[in-house]
Amino acid sequence: MEQNLMLLVLLALLGLVLGLASAHITGFGEQPLSKVAIHRATLALSASSSINVSPSLLGLKGEDTQWVNVNLVNPHPSVDDWVAIFSPAKFNSSTCPPVNDPKEQTPYICVAPIKFQYANYSDSKYTKTGKTFLKFQLINQRADFSFALFSGGLSNPKLVAVSNYISFANPKAPLYPRLAQGKSWNEMTVTWTSGYDISEAVPFVEWGLKGATAIQTPAGTLSFDRRTMCGSPARTVGWRDPGFIHTSFLKELWPNSVYTYRMGHILSNGSRIWSKLYTFKSSPYPGQNSLQRVIIFGDMGKAERDGSNEYSNYQPGSLNTTDQLIKDLDNIDIVLHIGDITYANGYISQWDQFTSQVEPIASAVPYMIGSGNHERDWPNTGSFYDTKDSGWECGVLAETMFYVPSENRAKFWYSTDFGMFHFCIADSEHDWREGSEQYRFIEHCLASADRQKQPWLIFAAHRVLGYSSDYFYGLEGSFAEPMGRESLQKLWQKYKVDLAFYGHVHNYERTCPIYQNQCVNTEKSHYSGPLNGTIHVVVGGAGSHLSNFSQVTPEWSLYRDYDFGFVKLTAFNHSSLLFEYKKSRDGNVYDSFTITRDYKDVLACVHDGCEPTTLAT
């Protein structure tokens, strides 16, 4: 027995060493822009080198995304030459904050590019011919653009040539709407980004039932400056003006009805700037018996369709997940992205890139987010964990760029109703333990569900507060976040939470109905009647680099998958739920089960007087 135990420990340690070695070799977990040592740039301009970009004016037909062509000539090519895109276009030292360090050299560049690509990306003959052609996709980001050719690789950049400036026709246009549930079931919020401050233009949303007379509702405006960031890189090389974030509250909606909307700004001269026209379907009435479909995932991040910024394949599955959701959008009612939203990690420009990527989804259905370590965590800034994962964003970007119906957006926990679903979204980056403010919220949220009307009670958090056999958790011996389920499992059991979802671990795993580390139901594909425990699901494989499983497979782990994917829940009525795990590469179902139950066990007792009775006890 001791020999077997020792063997398991050695295998687990070997898995950790291999996992860490793999992470070190490939650069997993590193924001690609962080590899650009732009502050070390030196001047090496060459009259015989050139970089030209066309077209010079973008968005002439109202586009907010456009491809551009880059022609490059360099008589002294090298395999580590690379092209950077800067926005604003002027990036020399005259735009930098005052620098008192005499070691900083001219032309001291104080801002990271928004994108980069190696010069030989599309033509391996570049190193012989000194000529190449690249294509980049740009989005409207409220400023002009320039392209720069560097030699010396990312770590020792030498500025060789700078392109002409290009821009969008209206760089301030209202863009990238993000819908979210309001604080009541019949309220939808519209959040968007523009270049218009309230002193320059008044923001509003024009909206109404499809085909009916539209009304106009004003919007509030938020922004933040460099000083709001907790430190570098968010305050230094990663800083970029975020523009202005507007949110309008569309209230007293009819349930399950189609509405049209567009964002607008009234300029001081009375003229109006309009966005495109969008459509959404309002939420069902709480308890309404209709077909309701929910998408859940974590850790998606962003990727570039032009192949740029892909240092070590940082977020290889992101676009596949996005595209599968867009393809199936007519069969989706609400999306839950439970943490690790963009992986911007202090490079502010990447939030625009992300909101552009998910716009086809977020403009049509509520896109509800949770707080993850890459949004919140940094030492001594109030987060529960002292990791440096947010790049000094410290939650500011997530709290401002997206709306969530929390009482205090700095405390990223909230509840939301959607028809037969009641969601309790926890914030694993703040204390959830018994006695904490968040613990009290979680209990109140679970207790407030009317299971006769909303049988599908869903708990979700970013870090795994339940069960995961990821290799790292396996080494710790906790098979979850340490302290994760110590306080919460009695709440899940007391209020009979059927499903709990997590991200953070970049793979997919489903447990049996479980309580106190024990399977309490022997079924695997169809559950009828009381589950006697909670099914825990890790669904953190939406886009970022994948995470290895432990060498040991616990008996409670029913399905594990090392691939990119997401979960879809379909509630047919008050007693029938379909669970599907789909892979991002093809949209096909690879794991599924059904739940059929009438919840008489929940309705038959008052919570405080209903003792948990399970096979585990």
Side-chain angles (χ1 to χ4, degrees):
M1 186 65 140
E2 291 181 357
Q3 288 179 333
N4 290 338
L5 181 60
M6 183 62 69
L7 178 60
L8 288 175
V9 172
L10 289 173
L11 285 171
L13 287 172
L14 177 61
L16 176 62
V17 171
L18 290 175
L20 292 178
S22 172
H24 177 72
I25 291 169
T26 62
F28 281 170
E30 294 179 273
Q31 160 59 247
L33 293 174
S34 71
K35 307 308 294 180
V36 180
I38 198 65
H39 58 287
R40 297 179 184 169
T42 56
L43 200 61
L45 291 173
S46 169
S48 56
S49 299
S50 65
I51 180 168
N52 292 291
V53 187
S54 62
S56 58
L57 189 59
L58 311 176
L60 291 175
K61 297 180 180 180
E63 305 98 326
D64 51 52
T65 301
Q66 194 164 336
W67 288 82
V68 298
N69 303 314
V70 178
N71 284 290
L72 185 63
V73 176
N74 183 11
H76 307 288
S78 172
V79 70
D80 59 359
D81 291 352
W82 56 285
V83 174
I85 305 178
F86 290 93
S87 180
K90 188 176 182 180
F91 59 88
N92 63 31
S93 58
S94 67
T95 66
C96 298
V99 176
N100 299 317
D101 187 351
K103 296 179 182 178
E104 298 293 358
Q105 56 208 340
T106 302
Y108 181 56
I109 300 173
C110 61
V111 60
I114 63 170
K115 284 188 178 188
F116 68 89
Q117 185 55 273
Y118 284 98
N120 64 357
Y121 174 73
S122 58
D123 186 0
S124 60
K125 297 179 181 178
Y126 165 74
T127 53
K128 295 181 179 179
T129 65
K131 297 179 180 180
T132 192
F133 173 80
L134 297 170
K135 291 180 72 70
F136 286 92
Q137 186 183 51
L138 297 183
I139 67 167
N140 192 341
Q141 289 187 260
R142 303 171 305 283
D144 53 4
F145 305 87
S146 65
F147 292 64
L149 172 63
F150 289 90
S151 63
L154 302 180
S155 59
N156 189 29
K158 299 176 179 62
L159 181 61
V160 175
V162 180
S163 77
N164 53 303
Y165 290 7
I166 67 173
S167 64
F168 277 85
N170 181 10
K172 294 185 175 184
L175 297 170
Y176 318 129
R178 289 88 75 183
L179 299 179
Q181 294 279 96
K183 290 185 178 179
S184 62
W185 70 269
N186 60 348
E187 179 180 41
M188 188 75 78
T189 68
V190 183
T191 298
W192 74 96
T193 306
S194 86
Y196 293 111
D197 191 1
I198 54 173
S199 62
E200 185 178 7
V202 178
F204 66 98
V205 171
E206 184 176 83
W207 62 285
L209 285 165
K210 189 174 182 179
T213 303
I215 62 173
Q216 295 180 352
T217 300
T221 299
L222 296 174
S223 191
F224 51 90
D225 59 27
R226 191 189 298 264
R227 295 168 297 177
T228 312
M229 302 293 96
C230 296
S232 180
R235 186 181 283 186
T236 56
V237 294
W239 170 255
R240 188 180 189 276
D241 191 314
F244 301 96
I245 316 303
H246 315 282
T247 299
S248 184
F249 298 84
L250 316 185
K251 299 184 178 184
E252 298 183 1
L253 305 179
W254 291 82
N256 279 78
S257 300
V258 177
Y259 285 83
T260 61
Y261 72 98
R262 59 177 176 167
M263 301 90 72
H265 293 264
I266 305 175
L267 302 180
S268 55
N269 62 7
S271 62
R272 300 186 178 212
I273 304 295
W274 294 104
S275 73
K276 294 182 289 188
L277 187 68
Y278 298 92
T279 301
F280 71 84
K281 188 177 182 181
S282 58
S283 302
Y285 185 80
Q288 180 174 302
N289 194 6
S290 60
L291 185 68
Q292 295 157 18
R293 299 149 303 186
V294 182
I295 297 294
I296 304 178
F297 59 83
D299 307 77
M300 185 167 78
K302 56 158 285 290
E304 299 295 340
R305 297 189 186 276
D306 55 22
S308 60
N309 290 23
E310 280 307 300
Y311 172 78
S312 294
N313 212 15
Y314 184 52
Q315 285 157 178
S318 176
L319 290 179
N320 280 346
T321 300
T322 300
D323 291 345
Q324 288 298 337
L325 297 183
I326 294 172
K327 184 178 179 181
D328 195 39
L329 197 53
D330 289 342
N331 301 305
I332 296 171
D333 297 309
I334 186 172
V335 170
L336 270 64
H337 185 161
I338 48 176
D340 284 8
I341 310 301
T342 69
Y343 292 92
N345 296 2
Y347 290 83
I348 312 303
S349 65
Q350 304 304 285
W351 281 86
D352 283 325
Q353 300 285 347
F354 179 82
T355 54
S356 173
Q357 177 176 308
V358 301
E359 182 207 35
I361 307 164
S363 65
V365 300
Y367 197 97
M368 312 302 296
I369 69 167
S371 178
N373 51 304
H374 284 278
E375 283 76 56
R376 185 63 188 84
D377 294 358
W378 198 271
N380 303 313
T381 63
S383 56
F384 188 67
Y385 295 90
D386 277 345
T387 64
K388 298 182 178 181
D389 298 336
S390 78
W392 280 110
E393 291 180 13
C394 312
V396 173
L397 271 296
E399 295 161 14
T400 309
M401 296 292 288
F402 284 82
Y403 175 84
V404 295
S406 61
E407 292 302 317
N408 181 338
R409 284 163 74 174
K411 301 170 183 177
F412 227 78
W413 53 79
Y414 63 93
S415 66
T416 191
D417 294 315
F418 192 89
M420 294 176 285
F421 289 94
H422 183 68
F423 299 103
C424 297
I425 313 299
D427 179 359
S428 62
E429 311 316 300
H430 283 90
D431 194 353
W432 65 84
R433 295 171 297 177
E434 190 166 6
S436 68
E437 180 183 0
Q438 183 173 193
Y439 183 89
R440 292 191 293 273
F441 156 79
I442 293 171
E443 177 156 29
H444 179 266
C445 182
L446 298 177
S448 65
D450 182 346
R451 301 301 284 276
Q452 188 169 15
K453 295 178 180 177
Q454 293 177 302
W456 312 119
L457 177 56
I458 309 297
F459 175 86
H462 176 64
R463 291 176 185 260
V464 182
L465 305 183
Y467 295 86
S468 164
S469 63
D470 182 69
Y471 78 94
F472 185 76
Y473 286 145
L475 279 173
E476 290 182 328
S478 59
F479 287 112
E481 202 68 32
M483 304 178 289
R485 56 182 179 265
E486 291 177 10
S487 299
L488 296 176
Q489 62 181 346
K490 61 183 179 182
L491 294 184
W492 299 326
Q493 194 72 2
K494 179 178 181 180
Y495 298 107
K496 295 181 169 54
V497 176
D498 291 335
L499 292 164
F501 290 91
Y502 315 98
H504 195 59
V505 171
H506 301 171
N507 53 40
Y508 168 77
E509 185 169 22
R510 168 171 69 97
T511 76
C512 59
I514 189 172
Y515 180 58
Q516 294 178 342
N517 293 288
Q518 299 294 317
C519 290
V520 294
N521 193 311
T522 59
E523 294 294 329
K524 294 184 178 180
S525 60
H526 177 69
Y527 300 95
S528 59
L531 270 65
N532 295 321
T534 300
I535 297 171
H536 294 261
V537 182
V538 173
V539 61
S544 193
H545 59 275
L546 294 170
S547 180
N548 293 319
F549 285 101
S550 168
Q551 298 287 337
V552 179
T553 303
E555 64 176 13
W556 43 256
S557 181
L558 297 187
Y559 193 102
R560 306 197 304 186
D561 189 45
Y562 180 84
D563 206 347
F564 300 103
F566 54 93
V567 161
K568 183 176 184 180
L569 301 178
T570 302
F572 297 101
N573 49 49
H574 287 77
S575 59
S576 299
L577 181 76
L578 172 64
F579 174 107
E580 297 173 301
Y581 164 64
K582 297 186 174 187
K583 291 198 179 188
S584 300
R585 64 169 181 247
D586 57 17
N588 293 333
V589 177
Y590 286 81
D591 182 35
S592 66
F593 63 86
T594 56
I595 299 176
T596 303
R597 55 178 306 195
D598 54 18
Y599 288 88
K600 291 180 180 177
D601 57 315
V602 178
L603 302 174
C605 62
V606 177
H607 291 312
D608 290 341
C610 191
E611 294 297 324
T613 303
T614 72
L615 297 178
T617 57

